[in-house]
């Protein structure tokens, strides 16, 4: 079992530090944690009708933890980061929804009601009202906690849990103060969401200026002809990770990084019949198709070279040893108005997650 980090204070959570508390009399229950059978203990003080719920709490910050947190086969240590406006909130929502409905056979559920409520609200906005999620205020970081189960050997369920912070990475300058840094430092993988429209040469290829405007956060359409912006972006990404994980500037970053271009719907017409335009095969075939992922990676690289973003690529390659490119669209179609979506058919949103799951041997690969 990998280390579990408290999503509130980012300290390690162990069976020695966490404790049960009675919500009736607020007393700390002195007893071993029910790690094996997962049964919640009863409060010895509160009897009969006075019996109240017992909750598991973090020993460092006293926030409530999911009471089954120790029962997982694996804690999936990854983080999703991206600048404000890169598409995080919409991506996280559609990624979870697709995971729930995918044919991978996963059973996906929220580990607490805050996660569930938040998710339902965002999902409703996107899938029912066809409005992009307004998402979080910049700076607000919400820990989502999800449990994933899949059938294992001998009718056992294999369970995994993951925490995703919506808002992580929005403000690089606040990185030093941010507790999320310790989370990123403990991550074995990082999904870096990049709005391709923040690459100037890419943005120029989009003909329909309305669609472009509807895909950017309010007030971000101005034409800033800054050809250095892309290189800065790559360097900022690298220094963000370096700072979080406390890595030397003189070495390439070895943590596997999924550089995930969001809003790929805006660019798909430029890719003709290429692999990136096709529906993802990983979930359909219930295994990670390495060939498909490599092809998509190559196509994105080729595309960036072609439009004149070679320096961005060079900068990525100079800083990252294990960078893999992905192209996703949370909506699958370009918006048809200000805060107005077409039918929602998320495109390849699970690819980065499947890439991680394959490396963690949660799914097979070929
Ligand atoms: N065209 C298009 N626009 C998107 C997509 N995902 C997000 N957006 C738009 O990008 C803007 C920022 O998205 P949001 O998820 O709030 O970004 P966050 O600040 O990183 O959480 C919003 O205007 C969204 O409508 C996408 O897949 N396609
Ligand atoms: Mg957001
Ligand atoms: Zn009690
Ligand atoms: Zn804590």
């Amino acid at each position: 079992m990998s280390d579990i980090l408290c999503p509130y204070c980012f300290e390690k959570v162990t069976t020695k530090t966490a404790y049960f508390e009675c919500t009736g009399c607020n007393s700390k229950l002195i007893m071993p944690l029910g790690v094996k059978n997962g049964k919640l203990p009863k409060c010895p003080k509160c009897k009969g009708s006075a019996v109240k719920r017992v909750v598991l709490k973090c020993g460092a910050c006293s926030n409530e933890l999911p009471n089954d947190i120790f029962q997982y086969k694996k804690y999936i240590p990854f983080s999703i980061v991206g600048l404000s406006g890169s598409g995080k909130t919409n991506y996280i929502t559609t990624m979870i929804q697709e995971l729930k409905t995918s044919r991978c056979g996963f059973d996906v559920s929220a580990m607490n009601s805050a996660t569930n409520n938040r998710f339902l609200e965002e999902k409703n906005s996107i899938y029912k009202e066809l409005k992009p999620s307004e998402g979080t205020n910049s700076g607000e970081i919400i820990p989502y906690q999800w449990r994933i189960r899949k059938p294992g050997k001998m009718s056992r369920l294999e369970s995994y849990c993951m925490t995703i912070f919506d808002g992580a990475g929005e403000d690089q300058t606040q990185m030093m103060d941010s507790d999320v840094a310790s989370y990123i430092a403990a991550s074995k993988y990082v999904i870096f969401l990049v709005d391709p429209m923040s690459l100037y040469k890419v943005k120029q290829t989009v003909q329909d200026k309305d669609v472009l405007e509807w895909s950017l956060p309010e007030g971000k359409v101005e034409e800033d002809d800054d050809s250095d912006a892309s290189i800065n972006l790559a360097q900022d990404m690298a220094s963000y990770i370096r700072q979080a994980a406390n890595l030397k500037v003189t070495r390439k970053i070895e943590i596997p990084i999924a550089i995930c271009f969001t809003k790929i719907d805006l660019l798909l017409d430029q890719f003709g019949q290429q692999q990136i335009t096709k529906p993802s095969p990983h979930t359909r075939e219930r295994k990670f198709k390495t060939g498909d992922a490599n092809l998509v990676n190559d196509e994105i690289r080729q595309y960036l070279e072609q439009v004149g973003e070679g320096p961005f690529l060079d900068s990525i390659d100079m800083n990252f040893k294990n960078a893999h490119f992905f192209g996703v669209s949370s909506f699958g179609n370009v918006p048809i108005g200000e805060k107005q979506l077409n039918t929602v058919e998320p495109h390849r949103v699970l690819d980065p997650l499947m890439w991680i799951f394959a490396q963690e041997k949660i799914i097979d690969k070929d």
Side-chain angles (χ1 to χ4, degrees):
M1 177 80 184
S2 25
D3 285 340
I4 303 172
L5 294 186
C6 169
Y8 302 99
C9 70
F10 306 95
E11 294 289 327
K12 273 183 197 157
V13 179
T14 68
T15 50
K16 293 204 176 66
T17 59
Y19 63 93
F20 284 116
E21 188 179 285
C22 168
T23 57
C25 64
N26 291 335
S27 55
K28 208 169 172 168
L29 309 191
I30 318 283
M31 54 183 71
L33 295 182
V35 183
K36 287 273 158 1
N37 60 15
K39 270 201 198 124
L40 284 174
K42 288 198 172 69
C43 173
K45 286 190 208 153
C46 301
K47 296 222 167 65
S49 59
V51 174
K52 290 282 182 339
R53 209 162 62 94
V54 163
V55 292
L56 184 67
K57 292 198 156 184
C58 166
C61 71
S62 304
N63 271 301
E64 189 177 330
L65 300 169
N67 58 42
D68 55 359
I69 202 160
F70 296 117
Q71 293 171 48
Y72 292 87
K73 182 166 176 195
K74 218 175 221 167
Y75 184 77
I76 309 169
F78 73 99
S79 26
I80 298 181
V81 295
L83 296 176
S84 175
S86 57
K88 286 184 299 301
T89 303
N90 286 286
Y91 175 69
I92 291 167
T93 307
T94 52
M95 183 194 83
I96 295 287
Q97 177 61 9
E98 292 304 298
L99 190 62
K100 276 169 169 276
T101 54
S102 82
R103 285 154 69 191
C104 291
F106 287 123
D107 169 63
V108 183
S109 52
M111 291 172 81
N112 55 37
S113 54
T115 298
N116 200 39
N117 294 343
R118 183 81 204 200
F119 171 72
L120 291 177
E121 200 180 295
E122 313 278 15
K123 182 185 103 173
N124 205 36
S125 164
I126 300 173
Y127 288 83
K128 287 231 177 74
E129 295 169 19
L130 300 180
K131 290 194 182 337
S133 152
E134 297 276 346
T136 44
N137 298 323
S138 181
E140 191 186 353
I141 295 176
I142 304 163
Y144 275 130
Q145 292 180 282
W146 292 98
R147 88 167 59 76
I148 300 169
R149 282 179 299 201
K150 68 161 203 182
K153 289 192 189 80
M154 318 237 276
S155 80
R156 278 196 56 208
L157 277 178
E158 289 181 357
S159 305
Y160 306 90
C161 65
M162 60 181 185
T163 305
I164 306 169
F165 297 94
D166 188 4
E170 294 206 321
D171 191 351
Q172 225 231 126
T173 55
Q174 285 184 358
M175 189 66 207
M176 290 301 266
D177 316 325
S178 162
D179 285 335
V180 179
S182 25
Y183 193 82
I184 295 167
S187 291
K188 256 170 89 179
Y189 313 88
V190 175
I191 299 179
F192 217 115
L193 298 185
V194 181
D195 180 351
M197 299 305 122
S198 56
L199 301 179
Y200 182 70
K201 298 264 172 53
V202 174
K203 188 173 167 191
Q204 276 183 318
T205 66
V206 177
Q207 304 298 326
D208 191 330
K209 298 301 170 205
D210 282 337
V211 162
L212 183 60
E213 183 175 341
W214 300 329
S215 302
L216 295 174
E218 277 167 72
K220 262 197 89 177
V221 247
E222 80 277 7
E223 290 282 304
D224 38 353
D225 183 1
D226 182 359
S227 46
D228 286 343
S230 315
I231 300 165
N232 290 345
L233 176 74
Q235 271 156 7
D236 284 352
M237 285 165 64
S239 68
Y240 182 87
I241 310 274
R242 283 207 175 90
Q243 220 172 73
N246 209 0
L247 302 172
K248 288 208 184 91
V249 246
T250 46
R251 295 194 54 180
K252 283 196 186 191
I253 295 166
E254 293 189 12
I255 309 166
I257 310 275
I259 299 180
C260 182
F261 283 114
T262 53
K263 316 186 188 180
I264 206 76
D265 51 278
L266 296 170
L267 302 175
L268 278 187
D269 57 350
Q270 300 176 47
F271 282 88
Q273 299 286 308
Q274 294 189 63
Q275 192 73 6
I276 191 173
T277 64
K278 310 212 165 93
S280 175
H282 313 302
T283 46
R284 195 179 55 236
E285 303 199 15
R286 298 183 182 210
K287 61 162 69 138
F288 186 73
K289 310 294 280 182
T290 310
D292 171 88
N294 290 343
L295 214 53
V296 169
N297 176 60
D298 293 344
E299 288 170 0
I300 295 175
R301 284 178 168 272
Q302 252 164 37
Y303 172 79
L304 292 173
E305 288 283 7
Q306 197 186 312
V307 297
E309 290 287 2
F312 170 75
L313 278 181
D314 293 343
S315 189
I316 291 287
D317 290 334
M318 205 151 72
N319 285 291
F320 298 99
K321 200 167 167 202
N322 294 305
H324 191 110
F325 286 94
F326 293 89
V328 305
S329 167
S330 298
F331 311 137
N333 293 300
V334 296
I336 49 172
E338 173 82 42
K339 300 202 170 73
Q340 189 59 54
L341 300 176
N342 204 333
T343 43
V344 175
E345 303 160 307
H347 184 67
R348 288 187 172 269
V349 290
L350 290 177
D351 288 13
L353 199 62
M354 293 299 128
W355 177 73
I356 292 173
F357 282 8
Q359 292 175 77
E360 288 290 303
K361 299 194 168 58
I362 296 171
I363 58 166
D364 294 335
K365 67 173 166 184
D366 67 10

